[in-house]
Amino acid sequence: MSETKTAKPGWREVLRALGQRKTGFMALFGFASGLPFALFLGTLFAWLSDAEVDLETMGVFSLIGLAYAFQFLWSPLIDKVNIPGMRMLGKRKQWIVPSQLLLGAILVSLALSNPSNETIGWFSLLAGIGALASATQDIAINAWRIDVADEKATLDMLSTVYQMGYRLAALVGGAFGLIIAARIGWPQTYMLMGAILLAIGFIGLFAPDSDSKKLAEGQPAIVDELFVALRKKGELEPGIRAKALMVVAGLWAVSIGVVLTFMYMSLFYAPEDRPNPTEFTVNWGPWIIVATVVIPALISGWLASQKKQGNYLLSEDAPEPVGSGFVMDHLYRALVLPLVEFVGRIGWSLVLILSLVLTYRICDAIWGSFAYPFYLGELNYTKDEVAFASKFFGVGAIILGLALGGFMLTMMGRMLTLTIGALLAALTNLLYADLAVGGANMQAVSDAVGFTWLITQVPVIGSPSLAKLTFTIFFENLAIGIAGAAYIAWLSSIVNKNFSAVQYALLSSLTLLVGTLGRGALGEMIEDQGYFDVFVLTTFIGFIAVVLCLAEWFRQSRAGANSGVVTPEPAAQPAE
């Protein structure tokens, strides 16, 4: 459902939006999403190293990342299932608040535990449950952001504020976490982080939700109108839906079984027999995506086309479902209908959408694993120098980029900001290409603008050679912030509020997976041809994303879309 085009807001409107109650809770929820990710996938390994846990045993914790990579597998639960006794909190808050409280309790429990080789089983189980709770919270928070967006607290603004909170939490849980642990100890640090999440969970009770008003007025917000509509005249016949559901549900069941089997083997097998998480993601990840996204999308496209052509439709209202029919309708509503709606609405433009999803952040997703080998091994910087440039200065640059990206979204529009972000992100690879051959150009620019002098004032580590690295990381992270703000806002804008948890989780998972799959090929290219050629290649990949942004911009213009649309929601779909 498109809105009439309005004039671009000015500074006052931007500041007013930042002061919205929803925006404040969005920043808090963004912080709550970023903190567990940093603690479970980064800082925890430093604690295990200090506790002298052997590397083989420590390897079991790498499977925690699977909870984030494959979180879309249980996203239908977040969209469809109500937690007994929690529905009064709101559709999304019933998952957000318990997840935050559980995360806080788990961090406190970890603080009271001893991560030695003898007790690592209990410790890893707690961390695994925490990662699942964290990924579940992420699904619900992303859906909450899309659901509560309105003309005052726009989707663009909420998406930007979310990422700023997330990045700040990554700094608190990462670099600051290490600093705090060095002074008060690991148990006390995790106790403090757990207390923060428990406090956020309590404050989250007062956050608005998409159906908070209905619940406050005692209205039956639990009624699922989309489920009821499945048996109405003009909808697909239950028989044809059941056949499609059998295929889709079977593929999802096998995929979930594969992931659970891997997690069981990782937790309970001897270290030498445990499967490798990276190999699992590379070998099984694409097939899981094919089984849960590609094939169901093709089936959904066929169902949408049949409905459009008037085939297999109910000629009159069907009786209310009972027994197996009741279960079938609920499963269809959770697994198939989100894709049927998305494919039916987007049509063949789905190819463009998926291409843009796969290429827009691919450079950042792949490059992350090779950044430290490049800084430490190829350029021979010290760990302290890299920590200063990438952790402190770099995170600040990302937050600045997010703020700039949010302002650009508000003042210039979503698609123009998305395109500019893609172009800037591509061009920053050329800055790294210059570093790979000595960095003479970056050093000259840094000297000319006085940045080199500024860096040399940093005690102990400040040096002219550090300036060109810090200068490069600053511009890269500034571009990442602008591109990230625009990308999350665009991705959120193309999903339907009625299916926001599933549709967003499926699309965002493709971004995570493509980075994992591309690292092997990129590593081989670095070995064979060196870093310079790799940075030139990633620049051209970034240019492809720019072209796709322009194509998507043209598609939205033809469809009558505009940068002020909160979220596409066809009039035929009943709002909650």
Side-chain angles (χ1 to χ4, degrees), residues 241-252:
R241 289 194 288 106
K243 293 177 182 178
L245 175 63
M246 288 178 60
V247 178
V248 174
L251 292 171
W252 275 70

Side-chain angles (χ1 to χ4, degrees), residues 29-65:
F29 286 167
F31 188 90
S33 286
L35 189 61
F37 189 86
L39 294 174
F40 287 129
L41 290 181
T43 312
L44 186 63
F45 288 90
W47 185 3
L48 295 174
S49 298
D50 286 351
E52 299 182 348
V53 174
D54 61 79
L55 292 177
E56 283 190 337
T57 303
M58 202 183 298
V60 71
F61 288 87
S62 59
L63 68 87
I64 291 175

Side-chain angles (χ1 to χ4, degrees), residues 530-545:
Y531 282 97
F532 178 83
D533 288 344
V534 167
F535 289 127
V536 172
L537 173 64
T538 52
T539 300
F540 282 111
I541 294 175
F543 288 155
I544 294 174

Side-chain angles (χ1 to χ4, degrees), residues 390-409:
S390 64
K391 293 297 182 184
F392 291 99
F393 208 90
V395 170
I398 287 182
I399 293 176
L400 178 61
L402 287 169
L404 181 58
F407 178 74
M408 290 170 63
L409 283 167

